[in-house]
Amino acid sequence: MFLLATVYAVLRFTESFEVTVPERRVLAVLGQPVVLGCGYTPEPSGSLDGLIVTWQRAEDDQVVHSFYFGQNQLALQSPNYKNRTTVYPTLLRAGNSSLRLDRVGPRDSGRYLCSVSGLQGIGKAEVHLEYAAFYAEPRLDILVLPSSVRLQFKSEGYPAPQVQWTHSTGQDLVSQEKLSGPREDGLIYLRTNVTLEDCGPGVNLNFTLRNTALGQVLQRPISCSLRVLERSTGSGRVVIGVVIPLLIALLACLGWAGFVYFRRKKNRESRTQMNSLQTP
Ligand SMILES: *[C@@H]1O[C@H](CO)[C@@H](O)[C@H](O)[C@H]1NC(C)=O
Ligand SMILES: *[C@@H]1O[C@H](CO)[C@@H](O)[C@H](O)[C@H]1NC(C)=O
Ligand SMILES: *[C@@H]1O[C@H](CO)[C@@H](O)[C@H](O)[C@H]1NC(C)=O
Ligand SMILES: *[C@@H]1O[C@H](CO)[C@@H](O)[C@H](O)[C@H]1NC(C)=O
């Protein structure tokens, strides 16, 4: 009889206390605070006596935040989380042990354990935090080379994106990508380029950048129209090449003609002078 009562009490004890998370995966976006949700069966009286709440990293047991003896306990908090965490004592009374994390960055990605121990029992649950940052508007650089054109886009976000350059024919172009970071600001820097033999009118491209973590798609169409420019610089060179020697030749001719004219005129004048002298 006593045994049965004990078994019943233990079952009740374990059944009545639960720690749960509303979402197993949470996405944290750069520049926005994130809330890791966690809840437990509260004391009916709303008392915080005997309550211990601890948030820890599952990978390495770093202490993210602790609350016991009715207040925040930050002596053992990992320096990585200093000044960035909040749990709400008023919500704890109602069984809400959610953690708010500010200024999230790439290093915050990972698994977080919410452990709660109270007068009624003990339990824990895990939340997976994924960090991401939207890619900025891509910046286009155009480099015109003697026999090709190089197009380059630069942007930054997180995590590494999928990049595609497509021709209007539907063909994918061969591109080069360079990623650096993540840097202090929590961003990965992307540089990607393609080299085109022909970037004349009628050549159209699409540049597409995808950040799958955030469902972000940036598509930027590019229309080439550089043939006109190429031809005009080409014919410009031809014009210069032909016109300048012509001008030089013309000036030389004029100079010679002038010289000859003045010499003849002078000769004629001296002859008339001599004639007038001879006719007294
Ligand atoms: C946390 O905030 C306090 C008070 O604002 C400040 O003195 C301290 O340097 C901060 N610590 C970190 C690691 O940012
Ligand atoms: C717990 O509190 C957080 C922070 O205010 C809130 O976002 C969340 O919805 C609450 N959860 C529940 C189950 O009330
Ligand atoms: C670029 O993509 C848009 C939308 O998918 C499409 O309408 C357009 O025809 C594409 N242009 C090229 C040059 O492929
Ligand atoms: C862009 O093009 C040049 C020349 O082909 C190359 O040296 C450079 O590494 C390329 N890639 C990037 C990502 O800039």
Side-chain angles (χ1 to χ4, degrees):
M1 193 64 202
F2 173 73
L3 189 71
L4 270 182
T6 316
V7 168
Y8 176 74
V10 167
L11 280 178
R12 244 205 69 183
F13 178 84
T14 45
E15 255 174 30
S16 63
F17 191 81
E18 244 191 335
V19 176
T20 55
V21 291
E23 293 170 288
R24 308 252 319 136
R25 294 186 85 83
V26 173
L27 188 65
V29 178
L30 174 76
Q32 294 169 19
V34 66
V35 174
L36 302 180
C38 184
Y40 59 94
T41 318
E43 274 292 306
S45 67
S47 160
L48 298 177
D49 289 347
L51 179 73
I52 304 173
V53 172
T54 308
W55 279 94
Q56 265 177 298
R57 287 297 295 262
E59 298 91 350
D60 53 13
D61 297 337
Q62 273 183 86
V63 176
V64 176
H65 196 105
S66 313
F67 182 98
Y68 48 87
F69 299 150
Q71 58 189 41
N72 292 312
Q73 303 287 345
L74 302 175
L76 295 177
Q77 185 184 43
S78 158
N80 295 339
Y81 291 93
K82 249 200 174 51
N83 288 354
R84 299 204 290 136
T85 58
T86 314
V87 298
Y88 306 93
T90 47
L91 298 178
L92 286 175
R93 290 181 193 283
N96 184 336
S97 52
S98 298
L99 174 85
R100 196 184 85 183
L101 186 60
D102 294 312
R103 299 186 296 282
V104 285
R107 291 203 305 167
D108 296 330
S109 292
R111 288 149 50 219
Y112 290 75
L113 266 181
C114 167
S115 310
V116 183
S117 147
L119 296 178
Q120 296 180 75
I122 184 165
K124 57 183 153 191
E126 196 178 281
V127 187
H128 196 144
L129 184 147
E130 203 181 326
Y131 164 77
F134 285 98
Y135 272 84
E137 179 60 35
R139 290 151 338 257
L140 177 65
D141 286 330
I142 304 169
L143 183 62
V144 181
L145 298 164
S147 61
S148 62
V149 174
R150 189 175 309 144
L151 304 175
Q152 176 175 264
F153 268 118
K154 283 187 255 176
S155 185
E156 54 284 319
Y158 195 94
Q162 287 173 10
V163 168
Q164 202 180 15
W165 294 80
T166 31
H167 201 265
S168 44
T169 57
Q171 212 176 16
D172 279 353
L173 295 169
V174 178
S175 62
Q176 293 189 37
E177 267 86 56
K178 189 163 183 292
L179 297 172
S180 55
R183 298 191 192 163
E184 269 305 290
D185 54 11
L187 298 169
I188 287 179
Y189 285 73
L190 163 76
R191 228 172 57 198
T192 172
N193 68 24
V194 290
T195 303
L196 302 172
E197 299 306 319
D198 178 18
C199 197
V203 176
N204 296 313
L205 311 176
N206 263 337
F207 168 74
T208 313
L209 184 156
R210 287 189 178 82
N211 185 347
T212 46
L214 291 167
Q216 181 191 21
V217 180
L218 294 175
Q219 187 165 65
R220 297 295 174 261
I222 302 166
S223 303
C224 284
S225 59
L226 284 173
R227 191 179 288 161
V228 174
L229 232 170
E230 255 170 24
R231 194 191 287 151
S232 74
T233 51
S235 58
R237 235 176 268 135
V238 169
V239 165
I240 288 166
V242 172
V243 164
I244 287 187
L246 269 180
L247 268 175
I248 291 171
L250 195 67
L251 284 174
C253 285
L254 281 175
W256 178 246
F259 176 69
V260 168
Y261 173 74
F262 280 114
R263 230 176 62 173
R264 280 204 188 139
K265 200 177 163 194
K266 232 176 162 180
N267 284 349
R268 216 180 296 133
E269 271 170 11
S270 53
R271 236 177 272 141
T272 24
Q273 262 178 9
M274 271 156 66
N275 287 349
S276 58
L277 279 176
Q278 280 167 4
T279 45

